[in-house]
Amino acid sequence: MKDTDLPRSNFVRDWISADAASGKYGGRVRTRFPPEPNGYLHVGHAKSIMLNFGLAEEFGGKCNLRFDDTNPIKEEAEYVESIIEDVRWLGGDFGERPVYASDYFQQLYDWAVELIKKGKAFVCDLSGDQMRESRGTLTEAGTNSPYRERSVEENLDLFARMKDDEFPNGSRTLRAKIDMASPNLNMRDPVMYRILHAAHHRTGDQWCIYPMYDWTHGQSDSIESVTHSICTLEFEDHRPLYDWYLDQLGVFHPQQIEFDRLSLTYTVMSKRKLLQLVQQGVVEGWDDPRMPTIGGMRRRGYSSQGLRDFARNLGVTKTSGLTEFENLEYYIRGDLNKTSPRVMTVLRPLKLVLTNYPEGQVEMVEAVNNPEDEDAGTRSVPFGREVWIEQDDFREEPPKKYYRLYPGNEVRLRYGYIIKCHDVVKDPDTGEVMEVHCTYDAETRSGQQTRRVKSTIHWVPAAEAISVEVRLYDKLFNVENPNEAPDGQDFTANVNPKSLEVVHGKAEPSLASAQPGDRYQFERLGYFCADKSSQAELLVFNRTVELRDAWAKLQKRS
Ligand code: ATP
Ligand code: MG
């Protein structure tokens, strides 16, 4: 990461800075990013990645990528692969390889035995339902399990037999013996292990008992000598349990710190919901360009730097809020503006004929590749008698304040000449305008001292144009908070049925060399990225983001 990628001032950074200065943990800083491999990473994870990897880097420490893989039923190797790719793409440096909570299954088991021996854990035969019933409520204490006073010997024997595959799923659990009257429900004899006959993506059939998240997380942090275990606010109520386990074991004790998770307007972020969108075919897959996944955003054309800029500039606080989707687009646009070559592409082509331009003549005009980057230079675009323009740039009957092309009006063709419309050719059956006829003024070639006109439009040379498929994406949901669904329906009721429009356009010949992943600004239209399916036979582009910068205007106004 660059210096400008490192976290901005926030309370987590201040906390770590103070600990580093006071010599707590010997001045050492170690963090971890701990995804559960039950889906692809989303933009919310980018916030956590920037914070964890950024803080480690700033304070000369390390950040582990640790898979929290304790639930074999929902986890898959495909997710592990994608997460590794996404973290690397965002610039997270976790060294040679990631680590896995499943690496610690044996140690966690041994520690559980230790807690049993200390009289701090017991094997419980209550069913899931019975356990829920005896748990109590926020206002009422729970009741002790009838199995709570089992002897240490009996607990050791039963726990060993749980591990040795003697009991069916759900028949027994190992529970911590804490306090069924605690005001914190997490402390009411929480389950540490459950029986689950399921193959694990790494340990296969070696285990038929699996540790719960709370029993796994702090101990994994401790094993890895993590100093600051940074997580989202919903784990605040779990911190007493995190601390309790480590205190009972008397092992190295990291500090858990909670911050607010990112929520974006018009977006769902829960992996369960994203999986549902994939499974129901609402989107093409986890990397559909409409998905808020890192993979989807990459495919859509978001740059790693743009996402980092966004994530780094988010507040890190103790209260959760909603971030405007436009804020994300603002940073994406900002980076793409600096880095994307400009090209001319027409999405909805209309033929324009320059009736006084010599037939068969072609001249080359110079076009600037990127006005934001002097080194990017220029390119030549062929110009001739027939060009494609955007249907929208011509009106037979112009509305008020329409300065583009209409009969009798002049506009400039970008990098070319001033032209004037004198005629149209219509389809005799439909009345639709098929061609626009204009004259060009040979004295007005771009770059020379010439008169000015109100409007400049882009174009593509008809003879040399290449065909492109362009996917115009819009928001996947049509309400600000898609999680709130109308009565009796789930969040998919809020899916925007018009989130994708496919058009077939024409592009200037220089675009022919576009490779999947290449990003461009299509002049006057927005930023676009060649899709992974794009080939020489048919170039396919995804619209990344439009040019219109509503957010910047808003910020200027306020
Ligand atoms: P989800 O609820 O979206 O499925 P999760 O919290 O279950 O996400 P994990 O894989 O457990 O996902 O998350 C890995 C890390 O990323 C955790 O430390 C978690 O706190 C953090 N994280 C997850 N979602 C967000 C978010 N929206 N904003 C910031 N951090 C997040
Ligand atoms: Mg989770």
Side-chain angles (χ1 to χ4, degrees):
M1 286 185 189
K2 302 182 306 193
D3 282 355
T4 49
D5 288 330
L6 298 181
R8 288 173 165 275
S9 174
N10 62 59
F11 83 95
V12 180
R13 181 167 171 257
D14 293 346
W15 190 324
I16 293 182
S17 179
D19 284 350
S22 75
K24 197 175 174 187
Y25 310 115
R28 203 170 54 78
V29 172
R30 176 166 290 206
T31 57
R32 85 288 168 265
F33 172 65
E36 185 184 348
N38 61 347
Y40 280 54
L41 294 185
H42 52 61
V43 59
H45 291 114
K47 176 175 180 179
S48 179
I49 289 171
M50 288 300 286
L51 201 58
N52 278 296
F53 284 95
L55 287 168
E57 192 164 322
E58 178 171 356
F59 292 95
K62 275 175 63 176
C63 178
N64 287 345
L65 168 60
R66 183 204 308 148
F67 288 101
D68 235 316
D69 54 350
T70 54
N71 184 355
I73 292 175
K74 290 189 184 165
E75 295 162 3
E76 284 176 31
E78 176 201 344
Y79 298 142
V80 170
E81 301 295 317
S82 78
I83 290 169
I84 291 174
E85 183 186 359
D86 290 349
V87 170
R88 287 226 165 95
W89 184 73
L90 278 172
D93 175 9
F94 52 85
E96 264 168 34
R97 64 186 87 80
V99 289
Y100 297 82
S102 54
D103 292 341
Y104 315 134
F105 279 174
Q106 184 61 48
Q107 175 69 75
L108 290 168
Y109 179 83
D110 294 343
W111 273 337
V113 168
E114 200 177 315
L115 285 202
I116 294 173
K117 286 183 181 159
K118 286 183 173 164
K120 298 290 182 182
F122 66 100
V123 172
C124 183
D125 301 357
L126 292 181
S127 69
D129 283 341
Q130 290 169 322
M131 219 183 293
R132 261 186 298 281
E133 278 160 28
S134 59
R135 204 169 172 221
T137 64
L138 283 174
T139 50
E140 248 175 88
T143 46
N144 285 348
S145 161
Y147 306 98
R148 201 173 195 263
E149 300 311 327
R150 272 179 167 148
S151 68
V152 169
E153 289 67 36
E154 192 183 359
N155 281 321
L156 286 174
D157 173 61
L158 286 172
F159 188 50
R161 289 164 60 196
M162 277 169 66
K163 176 179 75 108
D164 291 341
D165 203 359
E166 284 194 29
F167 308 119
N169 287 352
S171 58
R172 290 194 158 92
T173 56
L174 183 74
R175 297 175 70 180
K177 197 191 276 191
I178 309 180
D179 179 7
M180 287 306 289
S182 170
N184 183 336
L185 268 67
N186 294 309
M187 300 298 275
R188 294 186 186 172
D189 294 3
V191 172
M192 297 167 62
Y193 274 93
R194 63 217 163 120
I195 302 174
L196 202 58
H197 289 85
H200 185 276
H201 74 114
R202 293 187 77 241
T203 58
D205 292 324
Q206 194 186 337
W207 296 88
C208 65
I209 56 172
Y210 287 95
M212 301 300 287
Y213 173 87
D214 284 316
W215 171 243
T216 310
H217 203 85
Q219 282 58 256
S220 303
D221 285 343
S222 179
I223 291 168
E224 293 171 15
S225 306
V226 164
T227 56
H228 299 85
S229 180
I230 304 164
C231 59
T232 36
L233 284 177
E234 71 274 19
F235 292 106
E236 199 162 15
D237 289 346
H238 294 245
R239 184 168 9 106
L241 181 55
Y242 181 102
D243 290 338
W244 189 88
Y245 283 138
L246 292 168
D247 289 342
Q248 299 310 312
L249 294 171
V251 293
F252 175 75
H253 196 142
Q255 174 67 51
Q256 179 179 304
I257 307 174
E258 311 87 15
F259 71 98
D260 63 315
R261 61 170 47 225
L262 168 68
S263 302
L264 273 181
T265 55
Y266 299 98
T267 307
V268 298
M269 214 89 92
S270 130
K271 282 182 279 186
R272 181 180 58 76
K273 290 180 180 167
L274 297 178
L275 177 63
Q276 191 181 332
L277 292 172
V278 173
Q279 285 178 336
Q280 292 184 0
V282 175
V283 293
E284 227 183 77
W286 282 98
D287 72 343
D288 185 296
R290 290 164 293 184
M291 288 282 269
T293 52
I294 307 293
M297 292 181 164
R298 177 169 55 233
R299 184 171 164 200
R300 183 158 176 161
Y302 285 19
S303 63
S304 163
Q305 187 63 55
L307 266 180
R308 284 206 293 272
D309 292 342
F310 165 70
R312 171 178 186 269
N313 282 291
L314 289 165
V316 176
T317 69
K318 276 284 187 189
T319 46
S320 32
L322 203 55
T323 299
E324 308 264 356
F325 196 83
E326 285 74 14
N327 186 343
L328 169 61
E329 292 191 325
Y330 168 83
Y331 286 101
I332 298 305
R333 211 181 266 124
D335 182 57
L336 294 179
N337 181 43
K338 284 184 247 156
T339 54
S340 313
R342 273 58 170 169
V343 291
M344 292 193 287
T345 299
V346 168
L347 296 184
R348 295 178 180 85
L350 172 63
K351 181 70 70 69
L352 184 146
V353 183
L354 298 172
T355 51
N356 63 339
Y357 195 92
E359 297 231 21
Q361 180 174 312
V362 179
E363 63 185 295
M364 302 304 280
V365 300
E366 286 302 296
V368 175
N369 286 334
N370 185 350
E372 303 290 321
D373 175 5
E374 274 179 27
D375 298 337
T378 60
R379 67 188 183 287
S380 302
V381 184
F383 179 83
R385 184 179 155 93
E386 295 194 355
V387 299
W388 296 108
I389 64 166
E390 220 48 83
Q391 286 172 15
D392 205 35
D393 283 338
F394 175 80
R395 296 288 169 84
E396 203 178 2
E397 285 164 23
K400 262 201 182 131
K401 297 203 171 160
Y402 186 88
Y403 301 118
R404 289 171 276 168
L405 201 56
Y406 55 87
N409 193 38
E410 282 190 327
V411 300
R412 176 177 289 285
L413 290 178
R414 180 104 164 119
Y415 303 120
Y417 298 92
I418 291 176
I419 60 167
K420 183 173 187 171
C421 174
H422 61 82
D423 209 358
V424 295
V425 177
K426 290 187 185 175
D427 183 309
D429 296 330
T430 63
E432 192 192 342
V433 175
M434 307 298 290
E435 279 182 18
V436 179
H437 286 189
C438 299
T439 52
Y440 86 110
D441 180 348
E443 305 300 311
T444 58
R445 184 162 163 167
S446 177
Q448 298 167 357
Q449 287 290 338
T450 79
R451 62 204 161 82
R452 298 169 69 97
V453 286
K454 276 207 166 132
S455 183
T456 298
I457 66 174
H458 66 279
W459 53 276
V460 167
E464 296 84 355
I466 53 176
S467 297
V468 291
E469 176 176 311
V470 184
R471 299 173 181 170
L472 304 172
Y473 295 104
D474 201 348
K475 296 194 163 75
L476 185 52
F477 295 97
N478 46 26
V479 293
E480 270 212 351
N481 183 357
N483 297 302
E484 288 168 6
D487 275 351
Q489 292 176 287
D490 80 349
F491 74 101
T492 54
N494 296 318
V495 166
N496 173 11
K498 299 195 184 114
S499 62
L500 171 59
E501 183 189 2
V502 180
V503 295
H504 290 91
K506 302 285 184 191
E508 61 167 81
S510 74
L511 209 57
S513 60
Q515 299 298 313
D518 286 354
R519 305 186 187 93
Y520 299 89
Q521 184 193 101
F522 290 178
E523 291 213 30
R524 295 178 65 226
L525 299 174
Y527 295 96
F528 293 78
C529 177
D531 189 62
K532 65 178 184 184
S533 66
S534 189
Q535 301 175 2
E537 294 76 56
L538 179 63
L539 295 165
V540 180
F541 290 89
N542 299 318
R543 181 168 67 196
T544 309
V545 59
E546 288 176 270
L547 285 179
R548 193 178 44 84
D549 200 343
W551 175 261
K553 275 187 213 138
L554 279 179
Q555 283 196 324
K556 256 185 215 152
R557 228 185 288 152
S558 59

